[in-house]
C-alpha cells in the first residue's frame, strides 16, 4: 500500500510506502540497530514503560536533519529519564554515533538500514528515494500513538512544540 499526496521533497510530489499510522493505534514493532560497544538491536518493547518520542529523519548528514536532532536533544533534556527519545534514519549506526559524538547529542539514534521494514511499517519510507521522510511520533507508555506529524515538505523542520507538548502531557 502507498500514500500519495502526503509529502513533497524540494517541491516534487513523493510517494510514501506503507499505511498511515492512526492516533490511538498500537505502534508496529520494529527492529532497528545502533552502535554502542558494537551493534545492538532496539525494539519497540525497549521503549515501553515510558512515553517515547521517535524523531524520524532522512539523513543526519543534512542540515535540517542535524538541526532537528540537536533541537530535540536539547529540548528533551528537562524530561530526563521520564521518557525515551530516539532519532531514526537510514544512516549507518556508526555514522549516527559519530554524529552524536561530534555534536554532543545524547539522544539515542537507531538505524533502519538493515531491513527497511520500519519505514514501510510506519508509513514514512519515500518510495522514490528509499529514505525515511521527516516525521515525529509520540507514543504513550504502552506503545500507542498519541501524536504524529509527517512533515509535508521534507526539507522543512517539524512542529517541535506540538511533539514536545504531547510528550509533556504524558509525563504530567
Amino acid at each position: 500500500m502507498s500514500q500519495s499526496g502526503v509529502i513533497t521533497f524540494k517541491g516534487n510530489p513523493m510517494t510514501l510506502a506503507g499505511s498511515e499510522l492512526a492516533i490511538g493505534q498500537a505502534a508496529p514493532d520494529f527492529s532497528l540497530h545502533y552502535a554502542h560497544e558494537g551493534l545492538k538491536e532496539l525494539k519497540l518493547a525497549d521503549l515501553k514503560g515510558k512515553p517515547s518520542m521517535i524523531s524520524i529523519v532522512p539523513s543526519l548528514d543534512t542540515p535540517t536533519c542535524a538541526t532537528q536532532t540537536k533541537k530535540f536533544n536539547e529540548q528533551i533534556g528537562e524530561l530526563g529519564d521520564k521518557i525515551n527519545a530516539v532519532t531514526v534514519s537510514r544512516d549507518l549506526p556508526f555514522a549516527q554515533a559519530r554524529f552524536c559524538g561530534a555534536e554532543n547529542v545524547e539522544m539515542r539514534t537507531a538505524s533502519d538500514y538493515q531491513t527497511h521494514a520500519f519505514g514501510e511499517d510506519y508509513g514514512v519510507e519515500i518510495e522514490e528515494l528509499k529514505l525515511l521522510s521527516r516525521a515525529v511520533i509520540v507514543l504513550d507508555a504502552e506503545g500507542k500513538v498519541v501524536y504524529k506529524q509527517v512533515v509535508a515538505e521534507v526539507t522543512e523542520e517539524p512542529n517541535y512544540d506540538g511533539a514536545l507538548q504531547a510528550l509533556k502531557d504524558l509525563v504530567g
Side-chain angles (χ1 to χ4, degrees), residues 20-29 44 48 121-122 137 139-140 142-146:
E20 180 181 4
L21 287 182
I23 301 296
Q25 169 185 346
D29 198 8
L44 178 63
K48 289 188 176 177
D121 292 346
Y122 279 69
I137 298 167
L139 308 175
D140 68 13
E142 288 77 47
K144 286 193 177 157
V145 178
V146 298

Side-chain angles (χ1 to χ4, degrees), residues 18-37:
S19 298
E20 180 181 4
L21 287 182
I23 301 296
Q25 169 185 346
D29 198 8
F30 55 76
S31 175
L32 300 169
H33 294 85
Y34 65 98
H36 179 73
E37 299 173 358

